C-alpha cells in the first residue's frame, strides 16, 4: 500500500519578471498572492470528497521568494493572510524557505508531527523572480531556470513513516550523496518510478548512473528549466500516463528534491484515476486535467 496519495496537482508557469519593471513590489506581490491563492482555491474546488475543514494546514514553500520579506518590503504575515483570504477557507497558512527546493518535504514532516491524525495537507511551491535578479534566471549550478506555482494536495493513506524521507547530503560530492540516498530509499519501493530534479543532462547522467536499476522519469530540463521545488511534481504532471478517457492510470512515484544547501526530501506517493492533474503552461488556456485536456477559462486569471 502506498504511503501517500496525490489527490490534486496543479502547476502554472510564470513569466520572468513576474510583472513589468515599472511595477511596485507591492503591486507585484499582490498579483503573486492572487495567483497562489487562486490556484489553490481552484484545485480545492475540483478535488472531490475533500472538505476544506479536513485540511489543517497550507504551507507556502519557496527557494527564491524570501528577499522581499527579509529586506522588509513586504510582511510575510500580510502575504500569508492575502493568500488565505483568496482561498476563503479556514486553513492556516505558513511560509517556509529554509530548506529551499526541499522545503515541501520538511513542511509535510512538520505537519504530520504536529497533526498526527491528519489525512490531508496542502502545499504550494511558489517561485517567482520578483526582483528579476539575473542569478535566478541563469546559474551555472543548474543553468536556466523556470518559474511557477505548484499546488499539491496530499492525503496520508498509510501509517508507514518511511514514505517521507528528509535528510542532508553531506560530503564533497552533494549530487552523489543525494543519488545514493535515493537508491537506498528506492529499495523499499522497487515498483515506484523515481522523479528527479530537472537538472542539465550532465548532472542527470551522474544521478541516473547510480539509479540505473530503477525507472526514472525523463529529464524535461530543456523544456522547463530547473523549477526548484516544483521539479518532481512537474515531472509527474508531464509524464503520468492517461487511459483512453483521459484519466490518470495508477502510478506510484518516489518524488525527490535537492536543495543547493544540501537538504533533500523524498515522498512515496501514488496517482490514481481520481487524481486531478492540471498543467498550465501560461501560453494558452489549455490545461491538463485528470479527465484529459480541457479548456479552462479561469486558468490565467
Amino acid at each position: 500500500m502506498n504511503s501517500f496519495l496525490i489527490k490534486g496537482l496543479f502547476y502554472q508557469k510564470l513569466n520572468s519578471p513576474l510583472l513589468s519593471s515599472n511595477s511596485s513590489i507591492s503591486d507585484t506581490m499582490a498579483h503573486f498572492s492572487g495567483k497562489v491563492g487562486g490556484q489553490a482555491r481552484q484545485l480545492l474546488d475540483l478535488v472531490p470528497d475533500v472538505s476544506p475543514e479536513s485540511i489543517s494546514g497550507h504551507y507556502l514553500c519557496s527557494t527564491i521568494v524570501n528577499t522581499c520579506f527579509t529586506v522588509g518590503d513586504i510582511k510575510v504575515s500580510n502575504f500569508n493572510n492575502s493568500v488565505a483570504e483568496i482561498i476563503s477557507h479556514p486553513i492556516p497558512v505558513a511560509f517556509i524557505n529554509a530548506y529551499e527546493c526541499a522545503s515541501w518535504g520538511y513542511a509535510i514532516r512538520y505537519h504530520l508531527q504536529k497533526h498526527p491524525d491528519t489525512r490531508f495537507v496542502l502545499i504550494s511551491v511558489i517561485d517567482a523572480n520578483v526582483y528579476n535578479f539575473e542569478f535566478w534566471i541563469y546559474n551555472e549550478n543548474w543553468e536556466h531556470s523556470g518559474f511557477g506555482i505548484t499546488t499539491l494536495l496530499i492525503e496520508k493513506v498509510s501509517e508507514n513513516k518511511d514514505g517521507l524521507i528528509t535528510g542532508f547530503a553531506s560530503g564533497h560530492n552533494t549530487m552523489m550523496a543525494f543519488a545514493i540516498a535515493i537508491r537506498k530509499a528506492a529499495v523499499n519501493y522497487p515498483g515506484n518510478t523515481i522523479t528527479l530534479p530537472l537538472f542539465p543532462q550532465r548532472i542527470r547522467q551522474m544521478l541516473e548512473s547510480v539509479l540505473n536499476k530503477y525507472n526514472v522519469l525523463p529529464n524535461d530540463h530543456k523544456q522547463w528549466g530547473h523549477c526548484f521545488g516544483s521539479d518532481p511534481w512537474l515531472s509527474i504532471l508531464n509524464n503520468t500516463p492517461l487511459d483512453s478517457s483521459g484519466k490518470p492510470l495508477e502510478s506510484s512515484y518516489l518524488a525527490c528534491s535537492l536543495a543547493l544547501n544540501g537538504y533533500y526530501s523524498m515522498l512515496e506517493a501514488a496517482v490514481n484515476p481520481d487524481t486531478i492533474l492540471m498543467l498550465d503552461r501560461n501560453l494558452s488556456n489549455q490545461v491538463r486535467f485528470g479527465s484529459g485536456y480541457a479548456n479552462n477559462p479561469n486558468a490565467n486569471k
Side-chain angles (χ1 to χ4, degrees), residues 2 4-5 24 28 31 33 43 89 113 117 154 177 184-185 216 220 248 250 258 263 266 277:
N2 296 106
F4 296 91
L5 176 65
S24 68
T28 299
H31 173 83
S33 64
L43 185 64
H89 293 312
Q113 290 173 346
D117 297 327
I154 290 287
K184 181 179 178 181
V216 178
D220 296 321
E250 294 273 357
L258 174 69
Y263 289 101
M266 305 178 208
L277 300 177

Side-chain angles (χ1 to χ4, degrees), residues 122-183:
L122 185 64
I123 302 287
S124 292
V125 183
I126 58 174
D127 286 295
N129 195 5
V130 175
Y131 292 104
N132 199 28
F133 289 151
E134 290 186 5
F135 176 86
W136 294 122
I137 297 172
Y138 185 95
N139 184 279
E140 62 181 9
N141 291 289
W142 60 80
E143 298 184 4
H144 64 283
S145 303
F147 306 97
I149 303 167
T150 296
T151 304
L152 177 67
L153 181 61
I154 290 287
E155 180 181 9
K156 182 180 72 173
V157 294
S158 167
E159 295 300 326
N160 178 16
K161 296 182 179 180
D162 294 333
L164 172 64
I165 301 167
T166 55
F168 184 78
S170 58
H172 69 281
N173 191 328
T174 300
M175 286 294 171
M176 186 61 67
F178 177 51
I180 292 172
I182 296 173
R183 185 175 64 186

Side-chain angles (χ1 to χ4, degrees), residues 198-235:
L198 303 182
F199 286 142
Q201 193 57 30
R202 57 184 170 83
I203 299 176
R204 283 284 294 239
Q205 285 176 345
M206 181 197 311
L207 297 174
E208 292 173 6
S209 68
V210 178
L211 301 167
N212 59 0
K213 293 183 180 180
Y214 297 93
N215 293 324
V216 178
L217 286 184
N219 185 16
D220 296 321
H221 179 269
K222 284 187 177 181
Q223 177 186 3
W224 294 95
H226 173 57
C227 300
F228 310 100
S230 290
D231 280 355
W233 314 111
L234 181 54
S235 290

Side-chain angles (χ1 to χ4, degrees), residues 10-16 18 35 39 127 145-150 223-225 227 234 279-283 299-300:
F10 186 174
Y11 179 81
Q12 182 178 14
K13 181 179 173 65
L14 298 176
N15 295 324
S16 178
L18 187 59
K35 289 277 190 181
Q39 186 184 105
D127 286 295
S145 303
F147 306 97
I149 303 167
T150 296
Q223 177 186 3
W224 294 95
C227 300
L234 181 54
L279 178 58
D280 182 356
R281 294 174 172 83
N282 205 20
L283 300 175
N300 291 315

